């Protein structure tokens, strides 16, 4: 067996680490000149989104031998709608860095593998398939899956983000769900440290957003963050992404090709989280190749999470600022904290189950 991994991101590297542990040395092909050679941003892993697992960093090391050091544990989250604010406290998850930083998650994973990485690769999937017995598609998007008609795209999103300097509580993150700031989307602030934070704005490319200009919204959002934090927040770095795709493969494996990470559909359409599921998908593909499980079976819970997340996303698209205010109001007090802390139920699954009959699913959503 000789295995090619296309993409040295979270899922591809997690796959390589797991294969190596089980005696298989794959070859990685990465189109960029080094691991994580792209914009820097802060991301979070929220425990409410990884149920039944409460601490995904501990679980990754204890159950899968994947070791990651986040930047901080998230102990406080402020959720701000147009007229309401909820503050949720407790052990809510972790924040981490991505991209061109020595402690980014992808850099940390690279250090855990001996697998040779061919940088600046221009190899196509077809070329790899003709030279290797198995190909792991880990390119972070659904392009190849689309070409092979194995992918249903549900949403594309435009994202604009920046690194700002100021004074921050590194254990606290803020999310804005206010459709004046981000129509049918959201904005957030995640500190990298006490002195730097990432602020971002994400809006779905919906027909009702066709006249929305992200750069105009950005100015409004930036002003809002500055006034709410009462700081100047000079920008030191910026990124912008258009048409970031969220969708899912019909089959996680076709012949000897495994679709992992975003190539499969690990990016959850509700709020755009995908790190934990991406890492797991890479591990699961390796398990299959090592005879430790069946990829299609192992991926079933991740597909279910995607479907639940899509129901929540479609519900979000049907809300107004008044509806968001009501939800944020309901999260005040200890209800929000209880939702985050409960280990008995998966709140997002329950919400998706309850909302399913009431939302208008689009044709082809496949989530009914
Ligand atoms: C702005 C932003 C914010 C996000 N915030 C969060 C968050 O807060 N929490 C969360 O859980 N998730 C978040 N996500 C989602 C998360 O980052 C992704 O789900 C995750 O990185 C996907 O992992 P992956 O392995 O599929 O792809 P990646 O980690 O992106 O890796 C893909 C790799 O493949 C390489 N590649 C691409 N094309 C080729 C090719 N043709 N040949 C060879 N190599 C190729 C790329 O260069 C890259 O190295 C966010 C995403 C974005 C864009």
């Amino acid at each position: 067996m000789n295995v090619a991994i296309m993409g040295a991101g979270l899922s591809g590297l997690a796959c390589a680490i797991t294969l190596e542990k089980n005696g298989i040395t794959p070859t990685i092909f990465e189109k960029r000149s080094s691991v994580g050679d792209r914009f820097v941003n802060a991301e979070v892993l929220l425990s409410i989104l990884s149920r039944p697992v409460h601490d995904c960093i501990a679980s990754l090391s204890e159950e899968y031998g994947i070791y990651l050091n986040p930047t901080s544990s998230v102990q406080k989250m402020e959720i701000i709608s147009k007229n309401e604010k909820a503050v949720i406290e407790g052990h809510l998850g972790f924040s981490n860095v991505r991209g061109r930083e020595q402690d980014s998650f992808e850099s940390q994973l690279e250090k855990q593998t001996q697998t040779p990485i061919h940088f600046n690769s221009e190899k196509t999937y077809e070329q790899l398939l003709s030279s290797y017995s198995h190909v792991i598609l880990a390119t972070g998007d659904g392009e190849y899956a689309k070409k092979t008609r194995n992918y249903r795209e549900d949403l594309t999103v435009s994202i604009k983000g920046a690194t700002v300097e100021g004074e921050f509580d590194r254990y606290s993150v803020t999310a804005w769900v206010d459709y004046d700031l981000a129509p049918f989307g959201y904005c957030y602030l995640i500190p990298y440290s006490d002195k730097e934070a990432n602020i971002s704005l994400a809006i779905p490319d919906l027909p009702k957003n066709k006249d929305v200009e992200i750069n105009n919204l950005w100015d409004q959002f930036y002003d809002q963050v500055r006034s709410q934090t009462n700081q100047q927040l000079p920008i030191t770095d910026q990124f912008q992404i258009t048409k970031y795709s969220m969708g899912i493969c019909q089959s996680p494996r076709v012949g000897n090709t495994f679709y992992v990470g975003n190539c499969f559909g690990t990016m959850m359409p509700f709020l755009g989280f995908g790190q934990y599921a991406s890492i797991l998908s890479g591990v699961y593909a390796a398990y299959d190749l090592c005879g430790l499980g069946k990829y299609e079976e192992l991926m079933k819970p991740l597909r279910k999470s995607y479907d639940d997340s899509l129901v929540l996303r479609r519900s979000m698209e049907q809300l107004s600022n008044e509806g968001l205010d009501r939800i944020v109001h309901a999260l005040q007090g200890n209800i929000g904290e209880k939702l985050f802390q409960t280990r008995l139920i998966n709140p997002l699954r329950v919400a998706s189950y309850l909302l399913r009959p009431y939302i208008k699913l689009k044709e082809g959503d496949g989530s009914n």
Side-chain angles (χ1 to χ4, degrees), residues 9-11 30-32 43-44 98 139 262 273-275 278:
L10 299 189
S11 57
E30 165 57 50
K31 81 166 178 193
R32 296 200 164 102
E43 302 193 358
V44 286
R98 297 294 309 275
T139 52
N262 285 0
F273 288 73
Q275 299 190 99
S278 294

Side-chain angles (χ1 to χ4, degrees), residues 7-18 20 28-30 32-37 65-69 97-120 279:
L10 299 189
S11 57
L13 291 167
C15 184
I17 293 167
T18 312
E20 269 180 53
I28 302 180
F29 295 86
E30 165 57 50
R32 296 200 164 102
S33 56
S34 59
V35 166
D37 182 23
I66 305 271
Y67 304 103
L68 289 168
N69 283 322
V97 187
R98 297 294 309 275
R100 215 176 286 118
E101 278 284 318
Q102 62 169 15
D103 286 332
S104 71
F105 266 7
E106 45 273 67
S107 303
Q108 293 186 37
L109 291 176
E110 185 188 15
K111 292 187 189 113
Q112 294 167 52
T113 170
Q114 306 295 317
T115 296
I117 305 180
H118 296 276
F119 290 109
N120 302 311
I279 293 170

Side-chain angles (χ1 to χ4, degrees), residues 203-251:
I203 48 167
D205 303 312
L206 301 172
K208 50 191 172 186
N209 273 348
K210 73 176 186 337
D211 297 325
V212 166
E213 180 39 68
I214 195 164
N215 289 313
N216 297 341
L217 290 171
W218 174 263
D219 293 341
Q220 202 182 321
F221 165 56
Y222 184 41
D223 285 347
Q224 173 101 349
V225 191
R226 287 195 290 185
S227 96
Q228 256 160 18
T229 56
N230 205 14
Q231 300 188 56
Q232 280 306 306
L233 305 180
I235 290 177
T236 55
D237 193 17
Q238 260 184 309
F239 68 87
Q240 190 155 349
I241 304 171
T242 48
K243 296 207 179 302
Y244 192 77
S245 173
M246 294 183 213
I248 192 157
C249 281
Q250 247 153 342
S251 308

Side-chain angles (χ1 to χ4, degrees), residues 57-99:
I57 295 293
S59 169
L60 284 173
S61 56
E62 280 161 25
E63 289 183 50
Y64 306 105
I66 305 271
Y67 304 103
L68 289 168
N69 283 322
T71 321
S72 281
S73 64
V74 177
Q75 300 291 343
K76 182 174 162 194
M77 181 158 68
E78 292 184 339
I79 306 176
I80 302 172
S81 62
K82 191 169 171 59
N83 301 300
E84 299 283 347
K85 174 171 162 177
V87 179
I88 300 173
E89 292 187 272
H91 178 62
L92 308 178
F94 299 94
S95 57
N96 65 282
V97 187
R98 297 294 309 275

Side-chain angles (χ1 to χ4, degrees), residues 315-368:
S315 311
M316 201 172 162
E317 286 164 11
Q318 288 162 39
L319 282 173
S320 60
N321 266 341
E322 289 70 38
L324 292 169
D325 277 341
R326 278 198 290 278
I327 293 172
V328 173
H329 183 79
L331 290 173
Q332 287 166 8
N334 62 6
I335 292 196
E337 273 149 39
K338 284 203 171 116
L339 273 179
F340 266 83
Q341 299 306 335
T342 179
R343 292 174 194 223
L344 297 175
I345 55 160
N346 178 339
L348 296 185
R349 179 139 305 164
V350 173
S352 147
Y353 178 78
L354 295 173
L355 286 165
R356 216 166 267 247
Y358 300 101
I359 63 158
K360 294 176 220 130
L361 288 169
K362 291 181 182 164
E363 208 177 314
D365 263 355
S367 45
N368 45 3

